[in-house]
Amino acid sequence: MGLGIVFRFGGTSDGIDIIARLCNKYMGWTIGRTVFLADLFIIILSLVYLDIPRAMYTLVTVFIGAKVIDLIQEGAYAAKAVTIISDLPAVVSKEIVLKMNRSTTLFNGKGGYSGENKEVVYCVVIRNEVRILKSIVHEIDPHAFVIVNDVYEVVGHGFTSDEHKPL
């Protein structure tokens, strides 16, 4: 937790932290991920004198530490961005607006394989709403292609703590 606080306010504590900051800036990796990968490399090298069970316990501990670093640095709030490719984008969009009170955006897209023009539905929801959104989409178009991505910061209507409470 202490490292997460140090990173959140722009500090570092040793050489790996500086590498982690550079990876974050130029490659988009989280600091926790970079620290985890560096520690993983060290654990693998340590297998020369560590037994497998100790290495595995160490790996689990390092993984949890990396997740805590990212959680503290980026915040506990995480939304989900959902991209939906469906043959019925207007219907999917309308149902999301009606049933979830969430806005959607329709993008023009073109299939890379088929060359077909399609509208793509894009929506950002809180983590608890993903299951509801997927069930709405599946109800309308069971063959829809649904992509869910993590979002760590959302600014705008419907995403401030007073305006929208989790289900």
Side-chain angles (χ1 to χ4, degrees):
M1 287 176 59
L3 284 174
I5 293 168
V6 167
F7 298 145
R8 184 173 186 138
F9 294 100
T12 60
S13 65
D14 62 23
I16 291 297
D17 300 356
I18 295 167
I19 293 169
R21 281 243 175 254
L22 292 172
C23 288
N24 180 258
K25 183 175 181 178
Y26 294 109
M27 300 171 70
W29 293 4
T30 65
I31 290 178
R33 176 182 180 185
T34 306
V35 169
F36 174 74
L37 291 174
D39 287 345
L40 176 64
F41 178 72
I42 293 166
I43 292 168
I44 290 170
L45 291 177
S46 300
L47 286 174
V48 171
Y49 63 88
L50 274 181
D51 58 4
I52 297 292
R54 286 187 186 179
M56 294 304 292
Y57 285 124
T58 305
L59 186 63
V60 169
T61 303
V62 167
F63 178 78
I64 291 169
K67 289 297 182 185
V68 170
I69 288 170
D70 285 343
L71 179 71
I72 291 171
Q73 183 188 12
E74 297 175 359
Y77 179 80
K80 300 288 185 176
V82 183
T83 306
I84 306 157
I85 302 169
S86 168
D87 290 330
L88 303 166
V91 178
V92 168
S93 177
K94 182 178 178 185
E95 288 300 304
I96 291 169
V97 171
L98 290 175
K99 291 183 178 175
M100 298 182 69
N101 196 28
R102 287 287 180 203
S103 181
T104 63
T105 300
L106 297 172
F107 293 112
N108 291 319
K110 184 174 184 176
Y113 178 75
S114 67
E116 231 179 89
N117 289 325
K118 286 195 170 217
E119 280 189 313
V120 177
V121 181
Y122 183 81
C123 184
V124 177
V125 296
I126 59 173
R127 164 184 3 204
N128 301 357
E129 295 175 329
V130 172
R131 182 186 52 78
I132 297 166
L133 187 129
K134 289 193 311 188
S135 69
I136 290 169
V137 172
H138 183 73
E139 195 177 286
I140 296 165
D141 183 359
H143 302 291
F145 193 70
V146 179
I147 305 158
V148 181
N149 297 93
D150 290 324
V151 175
Y152 294 102
E153 187 173 350
V154 180
V155 178
H157 181 70
F159 284 95
T160 60
S161 59
D162 294 337
E163 291 178 340
H164 193 77
K165 303 282 185 209
L167 297 176

